[in-house]
Amino acid sequence: MTRKLLTSAAALLAVAAAVVAVPGTAQAKDRPAAGFHVENGRLLDANGKDFVLRGVNHAHTWYPARTEQALADIKGLGANSVRVVLSTGARWTKNDVADVANVVARCKAHRLVCVLEAHDTTGYGEQGGAASLSEAVDYWLEVADAVKGQEKYVIVNLGNEPYGNIGHEAWTQDTKDAVARLRAAGFDHTLMVDAPAWGQDWTHTMRENAPAVFAADPHRNTVFSVHMYGVYDTATEVRSYLRSFVDRGLPVLVGEFGHDHSDGNPDEDAIMATARQLKLGYLGWSWSGNGGGVEYLDLATDFDASRLTAWGERLFHGPDGIRRTSREASVFRRGCHQHQ
């Protein structure tokens, strides 16, 4: 979740998007197709079916005892996926291989696609104690046994909001290096990469350099995640950003967003409508347990699915919401490859 104010409101318009040639997005010959994979700018599941993430974020690392019920409730409200907050141990208690394996197993039991993210990278360069993307890779290698073989059900999100508003220029090379290390270590999963600048990419660093990052993945199996808070307070900004990826054949989703934030008032209606129109994924922040002045981002009051907040009602039951637009991944459906 974004926790910092932007350095300047004028920064929104500071950098224009570069027009970059569309990278080759057809299935790479050297990439196994055993799990989620990208083809022609779309995320496909292991059966080759188009998959659009419709889900929420859950803060497992801070509330591990809540996870089992949270997954059941999130699924019950119609979600097809959940983004799970994990810790490398740099800032919070480490989620070890046994814990991660259990999270994956419980997501599968509830027929939810599991997006696992290392949260300690949040705001690196600006947030004290934050981990680098290289340190996040160290963590993924440490818990590899929990995720290898789960490519049909797990997407690996390298690191949450991996730079603040300082040092974001390093994002491109550091992301390329992180992807390369995981591929060399045998990670065949779809990899999700977050934007810098607290995930909001107001510098357009990810927007401009996404083609090069995608092309550097030998599997061509990387998707790009932008977090939409105060930077995206108009429909024009939302559409312009997301269309810039779609028009270049690059896979993109909204990995976090809210209905309000301390850095401005995001246009959640435009985010959800644009995602539906472009058939792009979104993952709302967050199920429950927010603190530090952003408690209003809770979707459920005190983890109680029967007490959805106004934000929760909007996300799950409103126009373009989860209940109306979510489709379960085909790997969980009868007649398709069954989960194991």
Side-chain angles (χ1 to χ4, degrees):
M1 182 183 65
T2 304
R3 298 177 185 271
K4 293 286 186 179
L5 299 179
L6 295 180
T7 55
S8 170
L12 278 171
L13 303 177
V15 184
V19 178
V20 186
V22 177
T25 57
Q27 182 174 320
K29 292 181 180 179
D30 61 345
R31 174 179 54 72
F36 279 101
H37 54 284
V38 172
E39 288 187 24
N40 300 316
R42 301 295 302 172
L43 178 64
L44 307 183
D45 69 15
N47 295 324
K49 304 294 186 182
D50 196 85
F51 182 70
V52 179
L53 289 110
R54 284 285 183 272
V56 304
N57 289 263
H58 167 61
H60 169 72
T61 198
W62 302 310
Y63 302 102
R66 298 283 195 172
T67 296
E68 173 62 24
Q69 188 61 50
L71 295 177
D73 291 336
I74 290 165
K75 178 64 176 185
L77 287 163
N80 64 16
S81 49
V82 61
R83 182 170 178 258
V84 179
V85 177
L86 300 176
S87 175
T88 69
R91 297 180 64 189
W92 301 284
T93 301
K94 180 186 292 187
N95 300 103
D96 63 17
V97 64
D99 186 42
V100 176
N102 184 61
V103 167
V104 171
R106 300 320 302 156
C107 283
K108 289 168 64 178
H110 292 292
R111 303 162 72 94
L112 288 163
V113 171
C114 192
V115 180
L116 300 174
E117 62 102 342
H119 208 78
D120 306 71
T121 55
T122 306
Y124 179 74
E126 189 173 348
Q127 176 68 56
S132 67
L133 276 175
S134 178
E135 290 170 316
V137 173
D138 293 340
Y139 173 72
W140 293 120
L141 298 181
E142 186 176 337
V143 298
D145 287 347
V147 296
K148 284 188 176 181
Q150 304 299 326
E151 293 84 0
K152 291 182 181 180
Y153 314 104
V154 170
I155 294 171
V156 176
N157 190 175
L158 298 184
N160 185 68
E161 301 178 1
Y163 292 89
N165 296 323
I166 300 170
H168 54 82
E169 300 86 355
W171 177 89
T172 302
Q173 190 59 53
D174 287 356
T175 301
K176 287 180 181 179
D177 292 345
V179 171
R181 283 183 63 199
L182 287 179
R183 294 300 185 218
F187 278 70
D188 295 327
H189 309 71
T190 291
L191 300 178
M192 184 182 294
V193 298
D194 278 11
W198 299 97
Q200 297 202 76
D201 202 29
W202 60 266
T203 61
H204 288 176
T205 302
M206 184 172 81
R207 177 169 163 165
E208 292 180 352
N209 294 286
V213 170
F214 187 88
D217 178 0
H219 290 2
R220 305 296 193 273
N221 195 17
T222 298
V223 299
F224 299 92
S225 174
V226 62
H227 294 179
M228 290 189 163
Y229 293 104
V231 170
Y232 300 93
D233 57 357
T234 69
T236 298
E237 288 161 332
V238 171
R239 291 170 186 152
S240 174
Y241 191 90
L242 295 176
R243 283 214 66 96
S244 73
F245 283 77
V246 173
D247 290 347
R248 292 176 291 164
L250 292 162
V252 67
L253 76 151
V254 183
E256 288 185 20
F257 72 108
H259 68 305
D260 196 6
H261 205 266
S262 56
D263 67 0
N265 185 9
D267 190 341
E268 69 276 12
D269 292 342
I271 293 167
M272 295 167 71
T274 303
R276 177 186 56 78
Q277 292 157 8
L278 298 178
K279 299 181 180 179
L280 302 178
Y282 65 63
L283 298 161
W285 186 278
S286 71
W287 179 239
S288 198
N290 285 285
V294 293
E295 290 83 358
Y296 52 81
L297 287 173
D298 281 0
L299 295 159
T301 301
D302 194 26
F303 293 91
D304 186 348
S306 70
R307 293 192 292 156
L308 293 182
T309 64
W311 169 220
E313 290 286 350
R314 173 69 189 91
L315 182 67
F316 285 106
H317 300 303
D320 308 309
I322 288 172
R323 180 66 75 182
R324 301 186 188 187
T325 64
S326 175
R327 299 293 180 270
E328 188 174 77
S330 77
V331 293
F332 294 123
R333 297 179 196 159
R334 291 181 181 177
C336 295
H337 300 304
Q338 296 298 301
H339 60 293
Q340 300 172 351

